[in-house]
Amino acid sequence: GRAVAERRRRLAPWIALAVAAVLAAFFIVLASAKSETNTDSADTPLIGKPAPAVSGTTLDGQQWELSRRKGSWVVLNFFQSTCVPCKEEHSELVRFAEQQAALGTDGAELYTIDFSDDSIDSVTEFFRANGGSWPIVLDERGSIGVAFGVNKVPETWVISPSGVVVFRTIAKVTADSLSAQIQRFRELSQ
């Protein structure tokens, strides 16, 4: 009995130290974890650099070139019609587009980049059922996604009127957070 009690007494500080270390590691992981709705810019070497010169064809058959959008704030939302988070954020993008339209010529231009081998029918049906009247650019060869380093959707990018990438998020966006980010960059660029 006495030897067991003595051994426990000697082990107790080490057990307490091990528990403290595990808890500390747990809190570090929690503190550094990003929430699903985090709108902090995700790391990319493109931030602060000119946006890649990408082009494609819109769902309605028009040629689209990102470089021709200079002079406007541009938001690119990479999307797939089968992506659950893309579906979940879509109503927020509809609201965002309405907020930006209300700003007239000062509003940002929103483009959906269809990042996959979605059928045109699937994409058309998704937008018909869920709203959204902004241009949809088909990335049939995947070259737009590759140029931006997109590997998973949804992903949203903001490009300044001078054609420089200022923001990227790899999480679902909300209309208000996206509008606030663009307003913040507007104020910084004045």
Side-chain angles (χ1 to χ4, degrees), residues 9-89:
R9 197 169 54 78
R10 275 187 276 142
L11 280 178
W14 295 108
I15 292 170
L17 187 62
V19 168
V22 168
L23 285 174
F26 178 72
F27 284 112
I28 289 169
V29 168
L30 276 182
S32 63
K34 293 194 183 318
S35 76
E36 265 188 54
T37 57
N38 184 5
T39 54
D40 289 339
S41 189
D43 285 342
T44 171
L46 293 176
I47 295 287
K49 302 224 170 45
V54 294
S55 61
T57 305
T58 61
L59 194 57
D60 60 3
Q62 303 297 310
Q63 274 305 111
W64 176 85
E65 287 180 48
L66 180 57
S67 62
R68 293 190 177 195
R69 309 311 329 143
K70 277 192 178 171
S72 300
W73 287 94
V74 173
V75 175
L76 302 180
N77 177 258
F78 288 83
F79 157 94
Q80 279 178 308
S81 65
T82 56
C83 155
V84 173
C86 298
K87 293 175 184 180
E88 292 170 352
E89 82 174 353

Side-chain angles (χ1 to χ4, degrees), residues 104-186:
T105 56
D106 289 337
E109 298 177 12
L110 174 61
Y111 297 92
T112 288
I113 309 297
D114 183 44
F115 178 74
S116 71
D117 52 5
D118 267 351
S119 75
I120 289 175
D121 291 342
S122 297
V123 177
T124 303
E125 176 55 29
F126 179 86
F127 275 79
R128 189 195 60 69
N130 298 288
S133 57
W134 57 87
I136 301 156
V137 180
L138 303 173
D139 190 12
E140 295 165 305
R141 295 182 316 276
S143 59
I144 300 172
V146 167
F148 279 89
V150 175
N151 62 6
K152 187 177 166 195
V153 290
E155 196 165 299
T156 303
W157 294 70
V158 176
I159 298 148
S160 75
S162 61
V164 171
V165 174
V166 294
F167 179 77
R168 170 193 184 210
T169 185
I170 55 175
K172 291 184 292 187
V173 296
T174 66
D176 294 340
S177 67
L178 199 49
S179 289
Q181 282 290 351
I182 291 171
Q183 187 55 39
R184 192 174 64 111
F185 288 117
R186 267 192 194 104

